[in-house]
Amino acid sequence: MTTISVGMLGCGTVGTGVLTLLNREASQVAESLKVHFSVKKIAVKHPDKKRTLNFNENVQFTGQIENVTTDPSIQIIIEVMGTLEQAYQAIYQAITNGKSVITANKELIALRGPQLTELARQNHVDLYYEASVGGGIPILRVLSDSLITDQINGLTGIVNGTSNYVLSAMKNEHSSYEKSLKQAQKLGYAEANPTNDVEGIDAAYKLAILSQLAFGHAINLKQLNRCGIQRITTGEINGAAALGLTLKPAVVARKKEQTLFTLVGPVAVTKQHPLANINGVENSILVTSAALGTTSYTGPGAGSEPTANSIMSDLLTVTHHLLANQSGISFNAPSNKISEHSLLDLSLRYFVVIKKVNETNFFREKAKYFEKIINIDHTYFCVTTVLTKDQRSELGSNCKDSHFYPLLK
Ligand code: HSE
């Protein structure tokens, strides 16, 4: 039996999930891999706090991150504490001290992933981050291994469990926005700062990571067309439903020749669309590629054990590399030079909510732009024909207080 020493940074929702799975699966891992994982040290903010952990072994809690990242006996570091700068410094220190790293930190990987991957390669250690996108869905391994020789030309997904939970509860349980968000926080789905969830920031980080592996392109997060779910009202959800549509918090990336068209924000989907029935904390990523066509990857997008399971799969990969003396590996990513534009630059259909029109004859004059129009409580809910960017702007400038949601079939 080989013992692998592990150090952890953070012990919140995901960290406790990792300890639970390490404990529960210990005998299976020992039997099949002849490996025992020994968690030696965990760095936390409050090392003296009383904790109820499903973990049998004695673990040393410390308030000092460097006690873990510089401990010569620790071989693998699992980072589940979040934050950007502190996590970056900690991982930098761990890598330069010869430790392989597993992280669930999407902000860090979205912003500094390529830099840390190169650092890990130079230091002959692994860097893996399956848990950073899609919670328990093994989507990064699919992109990095199974689809690496295929040409990916599109990604459409729901990658923020909290936003999907909130919109699903508003539609299916007629729950309020505030109550649904509180519940998502209580269930451990939301970020420490839930603004990152509802404003699409968390989803943008995840799209950036997906894009690195799918297209070899680092998305410019400052220029990304990003919108949150905060302004969606129950009235809009009901208006969409009356037209057979559902509002979903989506990420979209479509590659056309050497340009990537991207969007993070709510979209309307028809009943037939594969994302229409992805509810609650579930995430789903649809990948369109040249050889495979469209494939979909669905599962729990957040939560303690699902996310911990992705960390466990990274842990086994890193362990295999350690045992074979092959460390220095990360996910495979293609390398590409592509430019980036907003998805809204393409011609699209829209679900539009219009509170007030400027001219009385507006709908008669613009009839060619609309496929369906209904009026509920003095608000118009419409489905447009395919509109160019200019046509959409022209319509928008004629209606006060209108919301346009791209409509995906
Ligand atoms: N806050 C995230 C979500 C957690 O709701 O999807 C998983 O990354």
Side-chain angles (χ1 to χ4, degrees), residues 106 131-132 135 159-163 189-191 197 202 206 283 301-302:
K106 42 254 156 135
S132 63
V159 293
N160 184 266
T162 302
S163 304
Y189 302 154
E191 295 300 294
D197 294 299
D202 176 80
K206 290 167 177 167
N283 281 192

Side-chain angles (χ1 to χ4, degrees), residues 344-345 350 387-397 404:
L344 304 190
D345 289 355
Y350 290 89
L387 302 181
T388 62
K389 185 183 171 187
D390 291 344
Q391 288 169 333
R392 178 180 52 85
S393 305
E394 181 200 327
L395 265 191
S397 63
F404 283 70

Side-chain angles (χ1 to χ4, degrees), residues 12 93 111 118 150 164-165 178 180 222 226 233 262 278 301 303 306 317 332 336 341 353 357 371 375 398:
Q93 195 168 48
L111 299 174
E118 179 53 24
D150 205 350
N164 199 40
Y165 183 92
E178 291 76 19
S180 318
K222 287 204 180 101
R226 171 177 61 79
T233 61
T262 52
I278 303 300
T317 303
N332 300 306
N336 258 319
H341 283 269
V353 182
V357 290
E371 271 178 18
N375 189 312
N398 280 299

Side-chain angles (χ1 to χ4, degrees), residues 209-343:
I209 299 170
L210 290 170
S211 170
Q212 283 169 11
L213 298 192
F215 308 109
H217 173 72
I219 283 185
N220 184 337
L221 288 165
K222 287 204 180 101
Q223 281 172 18
L224 177 68
N225 190 326
R226 171 177 61 79
C227 176
I229 61 159
Q230 320 91 304
R231 69 172 193 194
I232 297 177
T233 61
T234 313
E236 291 189 344
I237 288 177
N238 294 341
L243 289 165
L245 302 173
T246 307
L247 294 179
K248 287 289 173 195
V251 296
V252 185
R254 285 188 194 161
K255 184 165 171 254
K256 289 187 187 286
E257 288 160 8
Q258 285 315 301
T259 305
L260 195 65
F261 294 90
T262 52
L263 176 92
V264 172
V267 298
V269 295
T270 59
K271 279 190 188 127
Q272 296 73 35
H273 194 279
L275 297 184
N277 291 316
I278 303 300
N279 286 310
V281 72
E282 256 194 334
N283 281 192
S284 186
I285 298 123
L286 311 172
V287 182
T288 310
S289 59
L292 228 57
T294 300
T295 47
S296 66
Y297 307 89
T298 301
S304 179
E305 289 193 21
T307 313
N309 192 60
S310 288
I311 290 177
M312 290 293 286
S313 79
D314 283 349
L315 186 60
L316 291 198
T317 303
V318 172
T319 300
H320 279 304
H321 294 165
L322 262 179
L323 296 179
N325 221 356
Q326 281 177 347
S327 301
I329 304 175
S330 184
F331 290 116
N332 300 306
S335 166
N336 258 319
K337 240 194 155 19
I338 42 185
S339 61
E340 200 181 325
H341 283 269
S342 165
L343 184 81

Side-chain angles (χ1 to χ4, degrees), residues 16-323:
T16 48
V18 171
L19 293 177
T20 302
L21 295 194
L22 278 173
N23 203 43
R24 200 163 74 201
E25 308 308 334
S27 53
Q28 192 218 317
V29 170
E31 206 172 295
S32 55
L33 296 172
K34 310 281 175 265
V35 165
H36 168 69
F37 291 111
S38 160
V39 181
K40 292 195 71 176
K41 289 179 185 168
I42 306 180
V44 286
K45 256 197 208 131
H46 307 289
D48 300 326
K49 187 173 133 185
K50 278 247 161 300
R51 292 162 206 274
T52 344
L53 300 172
N54 295 322
F55 198 62
N56 294 335
E57 296 180 26
N58 274 338
V59 182
Q60 189 189 329
F61 283 91
T62 168
Q64 303 299 318
I65 289 174
E66 57 273 21
N67 277 350
V68 185
T69 50
T70 60
D71 182 331
S73 69
I74 290 177
Q75 295 158 287
I76 302 174
I77 300 281
I78 298 174
E79 186 272 310
V80 282
M81 63 185 185
T83 73
L84 181 63
E85 275 316 318
Q86 204 181 23
Y88 177 76
Q89 298 303 339
I91 290 178
Y92 189 97
Q93 195 168 48
I95 290 175
T96 49
N97 273 278
K99 293 162 203 337
S100 287
V101 173
I102 295 158
T103 175
N105 193 325
K106 42 254 156 135
E107 182 176 4
L108 178 69
I109 296 299
L111 299 174
R112 314 240 176 109
Q115 196 182 331
L116 284 173
T117 303
E118 179 53 24
L119 185 74
R121 196 190 59 77
Q122 285 167 5
N123 284 274
H124 311 290
V125 296
D126 286 3
L127 175 70
Y128 281 97
Y129 41 89
E130 180 65 74
S132 63
V133 182
I137 308 171
I139 182 65
L140 301 188
R141 287 220 150 65
V142 166
L143 296 178
S144 161
D145 294 340
S146 318
L147 292 177
I148 192 67
T149 55
D150 205 350
Q151 285 295 328
I152 298 177
N153 44 48
L155 287 174
T156 306
I158 295 174
V159 293
N160 184 266
T162 302
S163 304
N164 199 40
Y165 183 92
V166 170
L167 290 190
S168 305
M170 284 171 76
K171 180 174 188 215
N172 304 333
E173 290 149 40
H174 308 292
S175 176
S176 72
Y177 174 90
E178 291 76 19
K179 193 174 155 207
S180 318
L181 180 57
K182 275 215 176 86
Q183 186 62 13
Q185 285 178 280
K186 206 168 134 196
L187 290 165
Y189 302 154
E191 295 300 294
N193 176 2
T195 310
N196 278 14
D197 294 299
V198 297
E199 284 188 355
I201 298 168
D202 176 80
Y205 292 146
K206 290 167 177 167
L207 180 63
I209 299 170
L210 290 170
S211 170
Q212 283 169 11
L213 298 192
F215 308 109
H217 173 72
I219 283 185
N220 184 337
L221 288 165
K222 287 204 180 101
Q223 281 172 18
L224 177 68
N225 190 326
R226 171 177 61 79
C227 176
I229 61 159
Q230 320 91 304
R231 69 172 193 194
I232 297 177
T233 61
T234 313
E236 291 189 344
I237 288 177
N238 294 341
L243 289 165
L245 302 173
T246 307
L247 294 179
K248 287 289 173 195
V251 296
V252 185
R254 285 188 194 161
K255 184 165 171 254
K256 289 187 187 286
E257 288 160 8
Q258 285 315 301
T259 305
L260 195 65
F261 294 90
T262 52
L263 176 92
V264 172
V267 298
V269 295
T270 59
K271 279 190 188 127
Q272 296 73 35
H273 194 279
L275 297 184
N277 291 316
I278 303 300
N279 286 310
V281 72
E282 256 194 334
N283 281 192
S284 186
I285 298 123
L286 311 172
V287 182
T288 310
S289 59
L292 228 57
T294 300
T295 47
S296 66
Y297 307 89
T298 301
S304 179
E305 289 193 21
T307 313
N309 192 60
S310 288
I311 290 177
M312 290 293 286
S313 79
D314 283 349
L315 186 60
L316 291 198
T317 303
V318 172
T319 300
H320 279 304
H321 294 165
L322 262 179
L323 296 179

